Amino acid sequence: MFHTHGHLFKNAFGTPEIREVFTEEAYVDRFMRVEAALARAQADIGVIPEAAAEEITNTASVEHIDLEDVERRIEEIDLFTVAIIQTWKEEIGDHGEYIHWGATSQDIADMALLELIREGLSVLETDIEAVGDALEILAETHAETPMVGRTHHVHALPITFGLKAANWLDEFTRDRDRLESAVERVEALQFFGAVGTLASLGEDALEVQERFAEELELTVPATAWHSSRDRFVELANAFASMGATLGRIARQVLVLGREEIGELAEPIDDGQVGSSTMPHKRNPIKTERNLGLAALLRGHASTMQTLNDGHDERDAGLWYAEYALIPEAFCYLSRALRNSREVLTELVVDAEAMQENLEHHDGLVTSEALMMALADTVGRQTAHELVYDAVTKCLESDKTFLRTLLDDEQITAVLSSDEIERLTDPTAYTGSADVFSQRAIENSRQQ
């Protein structure tokens, strides 16, 4: 995986913190810790000797195993779980006979991966919090910063930048809710034996299962999920949803950052080179890359969907693929969050450019305000026709919109010149944008 762990691209597709979580050494270490937790649970009720559980616990670390020996065994038997257990047993002697007592390979393998997932989520949470905070600040700071709202890619009506940021925030808050819900279901014990009956432990099975779950601080599900990978599918979907939101924010920052619009800009680091041949370029690299990361997250979520149609009670042909997909998904989301955090906390907001763009059509973006004011007297449809005709005349002449309206006897018969002048002020037609912004901020803070 040179794109996530090499020299050239690793910081474009991941962060140092998340890469430290998803290493083979870390996985083997967690695998051994999970085996130790199982041994302690079994020793508590006399299934295995306490001395064996103590020895297994004391040596449950990657420091107590030769990974080169593990690799050699994998080449021989092609099953990494058994390779780890056999190598470990040789290190501790007879007590090693009690490693993996009553378990099947996937029980421990899934729990080791889940341990890494929980650590990875802890790493992500720091940037998730920071992105939420940055969006809250933008929504609050710019609650009354007017700008033009755009629909169908063209100018529509006035809004505030605070409302736009609040919309981003509200969507991100829902993403956080989805992720939290997915995590609740992911944190489920996998310890059911070879075919989901846990027959290997006889009458002690359920008590061992409960104690094992307590050791790992997990819930006990009703049945095994060896072939039911929907928990990880849901997690991947939550990642993709959050990535899509970050991608949507990125797309808007990119579009509004075009020189001819100039309303937003990604902060550019000193010394950053945008082009090998155009010295003037200052490319919005972090924002741009988030679009690709969002696409990768969607792709991984789609692939995860295909891993939920396993045959029979267990199907390693599918769950092995998770060892490629899940670490990469963590890397991609971690980098997308870090990029967003770094951009949004220092986002350049040009209120003057927003004002200039709002006035680009000389007040035409207030057409709805005029229509609604006229509608009280002449009716909504007639008002629409009157304003539409005035807009058409304005666009076909050199007159300002205000002048066109003041010269229209049908309109001045209903509205005074002072009313028309007030209604054509785009900064006065932002509705309840400030209230909606505050709602999104409060929702985020309540979470």
Side-chain angles (χ1 to χ4, degrees), residues 208-227:
V208 170
Q209 191 180 61
E210 288 288 345
R211 288 178 180 267
F212 189 24
E214 290 173 6
E215 284 277 349
L216 299 180
E217 298 181 349
L218 297 172
T219 61
V220 178
T223 64
W225 47 280
H226 293 130
S227 286

Side-chain angles (χ1 to χ4, degrees), residues 62 159 203 221 257 268 275 284 302 354 376:
V62 71
I159 61 170
E203 62 183 15
I268 303 299
S275 170
S302 177
M354 290 178 176
D376 287 337

